[in-house]
mmCIF file of all heavy atoms in Angstrom:
data_model
loop_
_atom_site.group_PDB
_atom_site.id
_atom_site.type_symbol
_atom_site.label_atom_id
_atom_site.label_comp_id
_atom_site.label_asym_id
_atom_site.label_seq_id
_atom_site.Cartn_x
_atom_site.Cartn_y
_atom_site.Cartn_z
ATOM 1 N N LEU A 1 -129.685 220.988 -123.431
ATOM 2 C CA LEU A 1 -129.820 219.924 -124.423
ATOM 3 C C LEU A 1 -129.701 220.467 -125.844
ATOM 4 O O LEU A 1 -129.266 219.761 -126.748
ATOM 5 C CB LEU A 1 -131.141 219.179 -124.236
ATOM 6 C CG LEU A 1 -131.241 218.393 -122.928
ATOM 7 C CD1 LEU A 1 -132.582 217.698 -122.809
ATOM 8 C CD2 LEU A 1 -130.119 217.389 -122.794
ATOM 9 N N GLY A 2 -130.064 221.734 -126.038
ATOM 10 C CA GLY A 2 -129.903 222.351 -127.345
ATOM 11 C C GLY A 2 -128.452 222.584 -127.706
ATOM 12 O O GLY A 2 -128.101 222.731 -128.876
ATOM 13 N N ALA A 3 -127.572 222.629 -126.701
ATOM 14 C CA ALA A 3 -126.149 222.866 -126.950
ATOM 15 C C ALA A 3 -125.430 221.615 -127.454
ATOM 16 O O ALA A 3 -124.300 221.713 -127.922
ATOM 17 C CB ALA A 3 -125.475 223.365 -125.673
ATOM 18 N N VAL A 4 -126.063 220.461 -127.357
ATOM 19 C CA VAL A 4 -125.451 219.232 -127.868
ATOM 20 C C VAL A 4 -125.410 219.326 -129.393
ATOM 21 O O VAL A 4 -126.448 219.557 -130.024
ATOM 22 C CB VAL A 4 -126.256 217.988 -127.421
ATOM 23 C CG1 VAL A 4 -125.692 216.724 -128.045
ATOM 24 C CG2 VAL A 4 -126.284 217.888 -125.909
ATOM 25 N N PRO A 5 -124.235 219.190 -129.983
ATOM 26 C CA PRO A 5 -124.147 219.322 -131.444
ATOM 27 C C PRO A 5 -125.062 218.335 -132.168
ATOM 28 O O PRO A 5 -125.216 217.191 -131.761
ATOM 29 C CB PRO A 5 -122.676 219.024 -131.734
ATOM 30 C CG PRO A 5 -121.968 219.344 -130.456
ATOM 31 C CD PRO A 5 -122.939 218.985 -129.360
ATOM 32 N N ALA A 6 -125.676 218.775 -133.223
ATOM 33 C CA ALA A 6 -126.555 218.025 -134.130
ATOM 34 C C ALA A 6 -127.868 217.618 -133.458
ATOM 35 O O ALA A 6 -128.923 218.128 -133.826
ATOM 36 C CB ALA A 6 -125.847 216.826 -134.723
ATOM 37 N N LEU A 7 -127.851 216.726 -132.499
ATOM 38 C CA LEU A 7 -129.086 216.285 -131.855
ATOM 39 C C LEU A 7 -129.776 217.417 -131.100
ATOM 40 O O LEU A 7 -131.001 217.452 -131.012
ATOM 41 C CB LEU A 7 -128.811 215.119 -130.902
ATOM 42 C CG LEU A 7 -128.401 213.807 -131.553
ATOM 43 C CD1 LEU A 7 -128.076 212.770 -130.495
ATOM 44 C CD2 LEU A 7 -129.493 213.306 -132.474
ATOM 45 N N GLY A 8 -128.996 218.351 -130.585
ATOM 46 C CA GLY A 8 -129.560 219.475 -129.861
ATOM 47 C C GLY A 8 -130.420 220.363 -130.737
ATOM 48 O O GLY A 8 -131.403 220.931 -130.270
ATOM 49 N N ASP A 9 -130.065 220.463 -132.005
ATOM 50 C CA ASP A 9 -130.856 221.295 -132.915
ATOM 51 C C ASP A 9 -132.224 220.678 -133.176
ATOM 52 O O ASP A 9 -133.225 221.388 -133.258
ATOM 53 C CB ASP A 9 -130.096 221.505 -134.224
ATOM 54 C CG ASP A 9 -128.787 222.244 -133.984
ATOM 55 O OD1 ASP A 9 -128.801 223.203 -133.198
ATOM 56 O OD2 ASP A 9 -127.769 221.834 -134.560
ATOM 57 N N VAL A 10 -132.277 219.366 -133.272
ATOM 58 C CA VAL A 10 -133.561 218.672 -133.436
ATOM 59 C C VAL A 10 -134.387 218.829 -132.158
ATOM 60 O O VAL A 10 -135.591 219.108 -132.211
ATOM 61 C CB VAL A 10 -133.343 217.179 -133.779
ATOM 62 C CG1 VAL A 10 -134.653 216.431 -133.807
ATOM 63 C CG2 VAL A 10 -132.602 217.049 -135.100
ATOM 64 N N PHE A 11 -133.727 218.675 -131.012
ATOM 65 C CA PHE A 11 -134.418 218.853 -129.736
ATOM 66 C C PHE A 11 -134.954 220.275 -129.616
ATOM 67 O O PHE A 11 -136.075 220.491 -129.159
ATOM 68 C CB PHE A 11 -133.478 218.537 -128.571
ATOM 69 C CG PHE A 11 -134.099 218.785 -127.236
ATOM 70 C CD1 PHE A 11 -134.963 217.864 -126.681
ATOM 71 C CD2 PHE A 11 -133.845 219.962 -126.541
ATOM 72 C CE1 PHE A 11 -135.563 218.097 -125.450
ATOM 73 C CE2 PHE A 11 -134.438 220.206 -125.325
ATOM 74 C CZ PHE A 11 -135.296 219.271 -124.773
ATOM 75 N N ASP A 12 -134.137 221.245 -130.029
ATOM 76 C CA ASP A 12 -134.536 222.649 -129.967
ATOM 77 C C ASP A 12 -135.815 222.911 -130.756
ATOM 78 O O ASP A 12 -136.655 223.713 -130.344
ATOM 79 C CB ASP A 12 -133.414 223.521 -130.541
ATOM 80 C CG ASP A 12 -132.933 224.563 -129.560
ATOM 81 O OD1 ASP A 12 -133.531 224.681 -128.483
ATOM 82 O OD2 ASP A 12 -131.959 225.259 -129.887
ATOM 83 N N ALA A 13 -135.956 222.260 -131.894
ATOM 84 C CA ALA A 13 -137.148 222.455 -132.719
ATOM 85 C C ALA A 13 -138.382 221.827 -132.076
ATOM 86 O O ALA A 13 -139.501 222.305 -132.269
ATOM 87 C CB ALA A 13 -136.928 221.866 -134.111
ATOM 88 N N ALA A 14 -138.186 220.762 -131.295
ATOM 89 C CA ALA A 14 -139.319 220.057 -130.698
ATOM 90 C C ALA A 14 -139.710 220.605 -129.321
ATOM 91 O O ALA A 14 -140.884 220.618 -128.970
ATOM 92 C CB ALA A 14 -139.002 218.569 -130.583
ATOM 93 N N TRP A 15 -138.736 221.047 -128.532
ATOM 94 C CA TRP A 15 -138.985 221.519 -127.172
ATOM 95 C C TRP A 15 -139.360 222.993 -127.241
ATOM 96 O O TRP A 15 -138.547 223.838 -127.567
ATOM 97 C CB TRP A 15 -137.731 221.317 -126.323
ATOM 98 C CG TRP A 15 -137.873 221.711 -124.900
ATOM 99 C CD1 TRP A 15 -137.448 222.875 -124.326
ATOM 100 C CD2 TRP A 15 -138.444 220.946 -123.843
ATOM 101 N NE1 TRP A 15 -137.727 222.883 -122.997
ATOM 102 C CE2 TRP A 15 -138.331 221.716 -122.661
ATOM 103 C CE3 TRP A 15 -139.045 219.692 -123.777
ATOM 104 C CZ2 TRP A 15 -138.803 221.253 -121.438
ATOM 105 C CZ3 TRP A 15 -139.500 219.247 -122.555
ATOM 106 C CH2 TRP A 15 -139.386 220.015 -121.407
ATOM 107 N N LYS A 16 -140.584 223.310 -126.939
ATOM 108 C CA LYS A 16 -141.121 224.670 -127.058
ATOM 109 C C LYS A 16 -141.122 225.353 -125.680
ATOM 110 O O LYS A 16 -142.167 225.607 -125.097
ATOM 111 C CB LYS A 16 -142.532 224.642 -127.628
ATOM 112 C CG LYS A 16 -142.715 223.756 -128.836
ATOM 113 C CD LYS A 16 -142.321 224.460 -130.080
ATOM 114 C CE LYS A 16 -142.716 223.614 -131.287
ATOM 115 N NZ LYS A 16 -141.886 223.827 -132.399
ATOM 116 N N SER A 17 -139.935 225.647 -125.162
ATOM 117 C CA SER A 17 -139.831 226.194 -123.807
ATOM 118 C C SER A 17 -140.494 227.556 -123.681
ATOM 119 O O SER A 17 -141.107 227.855 -122.654
ATOM 120 C CB SER A 17 -138.366 226.280 -123.377
ATOM 121 O OG SER A 17 -137.657 227.205 -124.167
ATOM 122 N N ASN A 18 -140.389 228.384 -124.687
ATOM 123 C CA ASN A 18 -140.986 229.720 -124.605
ATOM 124 C C ASN A 18 -142.510 229.644 -124.586
ATOM 125 O O ASN A 18 -143.161 230.366 -123.831
ATOM 126 C CB ASN A 18 -140.500 230.581 -125.771
ATOM 127 C CG ASN A 18 -139.003 230.728 -125.739
ATOM 128 O OD1 ASN A 18 -138.441 231.229 -124.775
ATOM 129 N ND2 ASN A 18 -138.342 230.264 -126.785
ATOM 130 N N THR A 19 -143.068 228.759 -125.390
ATOM 131 C CA THR A 19 -144.520 228.576 -125.397
ATOM 132 C C THR A 19 -144.992 228.039 -124.043
ATOM 133 O O THR A 19 -146.019 228.485 -123.518
ATOM 134 C CB THR A 19 -144.924 227.620 -126.537
ATOM 135 O OG1 THR A 19 -144.455 228.170 -127.774
ATOM 136 C CG2 THR A 19 -146.418 227.431 -126.608
ATOM 137 N N MET A 20 -144.237 227.099 -123.481
ATOM 138 C CA MET A 20 -144.589 226.571 -122.160
ATOM 139 C C MET A 20 -144.521 227.667 -121.097
ATOM 140 O O MET A 20 -145.383 227.752 -120.218
ATOM 141 C CB MET A 20 -143.652 225.415 -121.784
ATOM 142 C CG MET A 20 -143.873 224.157 -122.588
ATOM 143 S SD MET A 20 -142.866 222.785 -122.015
ATOM 144 C CE MET A 20 -141.357 223.077 -122.905
ATOM 145 N N ASN A 21 -143.488 228.513 -121.187
ATOM 146 C CA ASN A 21 -143.342 229.574 -120.195
ATOM 147 C C ASN A 21 -144.444 230.620 -120.312
ATOM 148 O O ASN A 21 -144.942 231.119 -119.301
ATOM 149 C CB ASN A 21 -141.965 230.226 -120.318
ATOM 150 C CG ASN A 21 -140.875 229.330 -119.772
ATOM 151 O OD1 ASN A 21 -141.140 228.369 -119.065
ATOM 152 N ND2 ASN A 21 -139.649 229.649 -120.112
ATOM 153 N N VAL A 22 -144.845 230.949 -121.521
ATOM 154 C CA VAL A 22 -145.951 231.899 -121.698
ATOM 155 C C VAL A 22 -147.242 231.287 -121.157
ATOM 156 O O VAL A 22 -148.049 231.981 -120.529
ATOM 157 C CB VAL A 22 -146.087 232.319 -123.175
ATOM 158 C CG1 VAL A 22 -147.379 233.074 -123.418
ATOM 159 C CG2 VAL A 22 -144.893 233.177 -123.581
ATOM 160 N N ALA A 23 -147.442 229.990 -121.374
ATOM 161 C CA ALA A 23 -148.633 229.325 -120.825
ATOM 162 C C ALA A 23 -148.630 229.385 -119.299
ATOM 163 O O ALA A 23 -149.681 229.625 -118.676
ATOM 164 C CB ALA A 23 -148.703 227.883 -121.308
ATOM 165 N N LEU A 24 -147.464 229.187 -118.678
ATOM 166 C CA LEU A 24 -147.373 229.292 -117.218
ATOM 167 C C LEU A 24 -147.698 230.711 -116.755
ATOM 168 O O LEU A 24 -148.417 230.905 -115.775
ATOM 169 C CB LEU A 24 -145.966 228.901 -116.742
ATOM 170 C CG LEU A 24 -145.612 227.423 -116.804
ATOM 171 C CD1 LEU A 24 -144.129 227.222 -116.545
ATOM 172 C CD2 LEU A 24 -146.444 226.637 -115.807
ATOM 173 N N LEU A 25 -147.179 231.691 -117.461
ATOM 174 C CA LEU A 25 -147.445 233.089 -117.113
ATOM 175 C C LEU A 25 -148.924 233.418 -117.279
ATOM 176 O O LEU A 25 -149.534 234.029 -116.393
ATOM 177 C CB LEU A 25 -146.586 234.018 -117.975
ATOM 178 C CG LEU A 25 -146.822 235.516 -117.812
ATOM 179 C CD1 LEU A 25 -146.538 235.959 -116.381
ATOM 180 C CD2 LEU A 25 -145.968 236.295 -118.793
ATOM 181 N N GLU A 26 -149.508 233.003 -118.393
ATOM 182 C CA GLU A 26 -150.925 233.290 -118.631
ATOM 183 C C GLU A 26 -151.817 232.580 -117.620
ATOM 184 O O GLU A 26 -152.831 233.125 -117.186
ATOM 185 C CB GLU A 26 -151.318 232.905 -120.055
ATOM 186 C CG GLU A 26 -150.752 233.840 -121.086
ATOM 187 C CD GLU A 26 -151.064 233.429 -122.515
ATOM 188 O OE1 GLU A 26 -151.383 232.239 -122.751
ATOM 189 O OE2 GLU A 26 -150.989 234.303 -123.397
ATOM 190 N N ARG A 27 -151.441 231.369 -117.232
ATOM 191 C CA ARG A 27 -152.215 230.641 -116.227
ATOM 192 C C ARG A 27 -152.197 231.391 -114.899
ATOM 193 O O ARG A 27 -153.202 231.492 -114.215
ATOM 194 C CB ARG A 27 -151.643 229.233 -116.056
ATOM 195 C CG ARG A 27 -152.553 228.310 -115.291
ATOM 196 C CD ARG A 27 -152.039 226.874 -115.258
ATOM 197 N NE ARG A 27 -151.638 226.407 -116.576
ATOM 198 C CZ ARG A 27 -150.494 225.753 -116.816
ATOM 199 N NH1 ARG A 27 -149.668 225.467 -115.846
ATOM 200 N NH2 ARG A 27 -150.201 225.359 -118.037
ATOM 201 N N HIS A 28 -151.035 231.941 -114.560
ATOM 202 C CA HIS A 28 -150.938 232.716 -113.323
ATOM 203 C C HIS A 28 -151.774 233.991 -113.403
ATOM 204 O O HIS A 28 -152.475 234.341 -112.455
ATOM 205 C CB HIS A 28 -149.480 233.080 -113.034
ATOM 206 C CG HIS A 28 -149.323 234.143 -112.006
ATOM 207 N ND1 HIS A 28 -149.575 233.928 -110.668
ATOM 208 C CD2 HIS A 28 -148.986 235.452 -112.112
ATOM 209 C CE1 HIS A 28 -149.388 235.052 -110.001
ATOM 210 N NE2 HIS A 28 -149.026 235.992 -110.852
ATOM 211 N N LEU A 29 -151.706 234.678 -114.540
ATOM 212 C CA LEU A 29 -152.445 235.926 -114.685
ATOM 213 C C LEU A 29 -153.951 235.706 -114.737
ATOM 214 O O LEU A 29 -154.722 236.566 -114.306
ATOM 215 C CB LEU A 29 -151.984 236.676 -115.935
ATOM 216 C CG LEU A 29 -150.550 237.206 -115.899
ATOM 217 C CD1 LEU A 29 -150.172 237.788 -117.245
ATOM 218 C CD2 LEU A 29 -150.367 238.218 -114.785
ATOM 219 N N ALA A 30 -154.379 234.553 -115.262
ATOM 220 C CA ALA A 30 -155.806 234.268 -115.382
ATOM 221 C C ALA A 30 -156.413 233.738 -114.091
ATOM 222 O O ALA A 30 -157.630 233.814 -113.905
ATOM 223 C CB ALA A 30 -156.047 233.252 -116.499
ATOM 224 N N ALA A 31 -155.575 233.213 -113.195
ATOM 225 C CA ALA A 31 -156.093 232.630 -111.957
ATOM 226 C C ALA A 31 -156.632 233.740 -111.060
ATOM 227 O O ALA A 31 -155.994 234.767 -110.875
ATOM 228 C CB ALA A 31 -154.991 231.864 -111.233
ATOM 229 N N PRO A 32 -157.835 233.514 -110.508
ATOM 230 C CA PRO A 32 -158.372 234.525 -109.596
ATOM 231 C C PRO A 32 -157.539 234.558 -108.315
ATOM 232 O O PRO A 32 -157.158 233.517 -107.777
ATOM 233 C CB PRO A 32 -159.802 234.040 -109.319
ATOM 234 C CG PRO A 32 -159.769 232.580 -109.609
ATOM 235 C CD PRO A 32 -158.716 232.375 -110.663
ATOM 236 N N ALA A 33 -157.232 235.731 -107.874
ATOM 237 C CA ALA A 33 -156.430 235.887 -106.657
ATOM 238 C C ALA A 33 -157.349 235.740 -105.447
ATOM 239 O O ALA A 33 -157.860 236.716 -104.911
ATOM 240 C CB ALA A 33 -155.739 237.233 -106.646
ATOM 241 N N SER A 34 -157.576 234.484 -105.037
ATOM 242 C CA SER A 34 -158.483 234.242 -103.920
ATOM 243 C C SER A 34 -157.867 234.695 -102.602
ATOM 244 O O SER A 34 -158.538 235.284 -101.777
ATOM 245 C CB SER A 34 -158.844 232.760 -103.854
ATOM 246 O OG SER A 34 -157.674 231.982 -103.733
ATOM 247 N N THR A 35 -156.604 234.418 -102.413
ATOM 248 C CA THR A 35 -155.928 234.879 -101.213
ATOM 249 C C THR A 35 -154.726 235.698 -101.647
ATOM 250 O O THR A 35 -153.954 235.273 -102.501
ATOM 251 C CB THR A 35 -155.448 233.692 -100.348
ATOM 252 O OG1 THR A 35 -154.565 232.895 -101.129
ATOM 253 C CG2 THR A 35 -156.600 232.862 -99.855
ATOM 254 N N PRO A 36 -154.586 236.862 -101.074
ATOM 255 C CA PRO A 36 -153.443 237.665 -101.467
ATOM 256 C C PRO A 36 -152.150 236.980 -101.045
ATOM 257 O O PRO A 36 -151.934 236.701 -99.872
ATOM 258 C CB PRO A 36 -153.648 238.996 -100.728
ATOM 259 C CG PRO A 36 -154.617 238.709 -99.646
ATOM 260 C CD PRO A 36 -155.397 237.503 -100.065
ATOM 261 N N GLY A 37 -151.342 236.651 -102.005
ATOM 262 C CA GLY A 37 -150.095 235.967 -101.723
ATOM 263 C C GLY A 37 -149.070 236.914 -101.147
ATOM 264 O O GLY A 37 -149.218 238.132 -101.171
ATOM 265 N N ARG A 38 -148.041 236.320 -100.591
ATOM 266 C CA ARG A 38 -146.971 237.123 -100.041
ATOM 267 C C ARG A 38 -146.232 237.797 -101.188
ATOM 268 O O ARG A 38 -145.791 237.138 -102.123
ATOM 269 C CB ARG A 38 -146.018 236.216 -99.257
ATOM 270 C CG ARG A 38 -144.976 236.971 -98.499
ATOM 271 C CD ARG A 38 -144.007 236.007 -97.933
ATOM 272 N NE ARG A 38 -143.293 235.432 -99.100
ATOM 273 C CZ ARG A 38 -142.259 234.649 -99.023
ATOM 274 N NH1 ARG A 38 -141.821 234.277 -97.859
ATOM 275 N NH2 ARG A 38 -141.653 234.182 -100.082
ATOM 276 N N ARG A 39 -146.109 239.093 -101.135
ATOM 277 C CA ARG A 39 -145.395 239.825 -102.186
ATOM 278 C C ARG A 39 -143.910 239.629 -101.961
ATOM 279 O O ARG A 39 -143.407 239.828 -100.876
ATOM 280 C CB ARG A 39 -145.749 241.308 -102.147
ATOM 281 C CG ARG A 39 -147.145 241.594 -102.628
ATOM 282 C CD ARG A 39 -147.433 243.073 -102.601
ATOM 283 N NE ARG A 39 -146.464 243.837 -103.363
ATOM 284 C CZ ARG A 39 -146.681 244.326 -104.567
ATOM 285 N NH1 ARG A 39 -147.834 244.118 -105.154
ATOM 286 N NH2 ARG A 39 -145.767 245.027 -105.194
ATOM 287 N N HIS A 40 -143.239 239.203 -103.011
ATOM 288 C CA HIS A 40 -141.802 239.042 -102.875
ATOM 289 C C HIS A 40 -141.093 240.252 -103.454
ATOM 290 O O HIS A 40 -141.663 241.025 -104.205
ATOM 291 C CB HIS A 40 -141.329 237.744 -103.526
ATOM 292 C CG HIS A 40 -141.822 237.533 -104.921
ATOM 293 N ND1 HIS A 40 -142.990 236.873 -105.192
ATOM 294 C CD2 HIS A 40 -141.316 237.924 -106.116
ATOM 295 C CE1 HIS A 40 -143.184 236.847 -106.500
ATOM 296 N NE2 HIS A 40 -142.185 237.479 -107.075
#
């Protein structure tokens, strides 16, 4: 959506994908490992 000329730049400023991804990563790291998951 950021690649769409003009409107994509406005979308890019509003859509914080990197912040969302860091939040997902931090949520995973903060979660207690109650059951050892399958290592991929």
Side-chain angles (χ1 to χ4, degrees):
L1 294 179
V4 175
L7 292 176
D9 298 318
V10 174
F11 176 80
D12 237 354
W15 182 260
K16 314 276 188 208
S17 65
N18 300 300
T19 302
M20 290 185 274
N21 286 345
V22 169
L24 287 170
L25 175 61
E26 288 177 340
R27 193 174 312 134
H28 165 71
L29 293 174
S34 57
T35 59
R38 188 188 68 172
R39 288 181 56 102
H40 50 269

